[in-house]
Amino acid sequence: MATTSDKIATIHTVRTSPGSISVDITGDSDSAQAVTVLPDGKLLVGGFSFYPIAGYSGSPGDESWAVRADYSLVRLNADGSLDTTFRQEGADLVPARIDLEDDVGLVMAVQADGKVVAAQSGRGGLVVQRFNTDGSLDTSFGEAGAVTLETPDYYGDGVSLSIDADGNFHIGLRGETEATLTKLDSNGEPVASFGENGQLSLNPTGDYYNGSISTGLQPDGSVLLGSWLYVGGYDIPGGGHVTGDPVYAVQRLTADGSLDTRFGDNGVVYFDEALIPDYHSELTVQPDGKFLLVGSSGSIIRLNADGSFDTSFGIDGVVDFDVQSGESERPTSLVVQADGKIVVVGASSSLGSLSDFAMVRLNADGSLDTTFGSPDGKLHVDGSAAQDTLLGIDAAEIIQGLAGDDLLQGNGGRDLLVGGAGADIFRFTDISDSYRTSTQAQSDRILDFNAAEDRIDLLALGFSGIGDGHDGTLAIQANAEGTRTYLKSFEADASGQRFELVLEGNLVGQLNDTNLVFTPPTVEGTSARDLITGSALPEIILGGAGNDRINGGTGADIIIGGEGADQLNGGDAVDDNAYDPRMQNEDTFVYTSLDDSYRTASQSFSDLIVNFADRSDKIDVSALGYTGFGDGTGSTLKLVYSGETDRTYLKDVEADAQGHRFEIALTGYWLDDLSDSDMVFAPEAEVVLLGVAEGAQEHIAV
């Protein structure tokens, strides 16, 4: 595993609700994997944060898109709020640069001091390493930062790792016929009093050779071992064995490693597939001997020490992992606090987006601890000091951008929106985002609209502009006290809803067609060499003459580079799962003249399109008369790849009267991926044959 001391800044956004908190650490996928209770009651949560190392979403060919991960940390106060005194305003990255393809069996845990302990398969067995907070190996651990456990019978994904209250490490390994549990002290040395020189050999029952494991120690020294167990297998007469079907199971083994038949069904508890559908589960033992399980089904299960379901917990021993803002949630680890409350961590996705760290706290009986997370019992979405995209759910929320040029989109619910410093955009995509009926008000309120630099995106609503609130216009009115301004329509839709938005203060004389966006704004360059960066709005960007560099930003833009050899970038890569279709950044590169991008016999004035996104972006050459791909003659464009420049060229091989032949370059290899669906071509001319009866004419493309 490569390591580096380079630090990556975290730009994290936080969602809190009564009982839960989720943190987006870097804007990409994050997944919490471990949680530790600190002596002062704070919680340290560790996991993985992913980032691309090759290509981008929408790049050509599957092989051009690859990701790696860093270890990531979040520290919470005892009440579940983000502890902003920790590292980078509450979160941090340990830049270990984990190659996910090589580290399938990688597991991790986090110490109270923020150091990360990781275990993965390696030559000669399992390698356990400890990393400092800068990503370097902690050479005080083991030998030069690593401990190797000899495990000749080890299967790559059958490993577990946990840290107890005394700072000891427990490493579980699953082999074909046996399992082991190793105990190391905080320096990486075997704890001699445990098992045989720190290792306890376990002898689980049945066919046990497939799947990961989870282990836990009960107060009497018994070991709980959870994983898939194949049941219903049988020996074939004359030799051979047929395995049965995999079922998640927990076995209890005594301190000498033998099966404890007093537990469950002759030493084993089998779980229904609906509760734990696969082997990706983790168990934690409470001080009273009861134990908890979490798994990919989203269930949290508590059993008594004897293996029976604890009916005092949730409903018959089962509670769902429920993050208020999440559409899909998966718990991965949990810890029991000294007061009996249970903190469960994992991953949660909201609005179809990428996953975030998610943390939920339960009371001892499995009910949601509503004192955890939200400070006031309401739903909050908080940005960072950077440029954030903050999307609400269909509920009343307080959305706060803080600093940076943020995009705030409340979606449903009666939201309070606070942009903070920076040029912010408040987006509304449906009348139901903010409305009034004849009997109730469900209008959002913007608390700090700055008419000089903030904008309200109304593009998706279809209003034509400012007016009297009728005939597709919006009226601007202040209340009698002059403390609030209303942007409203007096025309209700089929549901009886009419758009209404409330802004703090009297802004009647300040709202106009610039800060109220009804049509895509136009951004124009000059005849010189311009550097143009778009915003989160869908924009029409005109580069003009000159060798321009244009980045469309996060909106769905129309980009016209104009004359000159321009470098064009639609902006952030497409998110195929984005909640708002216009967040998918479907950019169109438009060519209106043969002189926009061309080559001569001796010089190139071709545009270069960077990070073109397949199935999202488009190239529009319809105004030039090109009708499709071909050999580059007539009305066709030829596709040619150059390995020397790693660029794909769309070119006309026939020059015009000035010696110009149209040509565009795209970064990367697009010969197998660029298709008609990525282009806007001119329709082919149709010839109608005269003398053929009406209704039977043949239309021939020429």
Side-chain angles (χ1 to χ4, degrees), residues 38-118:
L38 305 181
D40 60 359
K42 293 182 179 181
L43 298 163
L44 188 60
V45 184
F48 303 121
S49 289
F50 301 86
Y51 59 93
I53 58 170
Y56 53 92
S57 181
S59 58
D62 295 337
E63 72 283 352
S64 63
W65 173 242
V67 296
R68 284 185 181 169
D70 284 327
Y71 298 120
S72 44
L73 303 173
V74 166
R75 193 166 78 185
L76 305 178
N77 295 310
D79 62 0
S81 60
L82 196 66
D83 180 7
T84 56
T85 66
F86 176 72
R87 308 280 173 79
Q88 300 181 54
E89 297 296 314
D92 199 14
L93 293 174
V94 178
R97 305 297 192 266
I98 308 160
D99 191 330
L100 300 178
E101 292 184 2
D102 293 340
D103 296 316
V104 175
L106 180 67
V107 294
M108 61 88 70
V110 58
Q111 294 186 171
D113 60 3
K115 291 183 179 181
V116 170
V117 180

Side-chain angles (χ1 to χ4, degrees), residues 228-243:
W228 265 359
L229 188 64
Y230 285 74
V231 297
Y234 58 91
D235 293 324
I236 300 175
H241 182 77
V242 175
T243 58

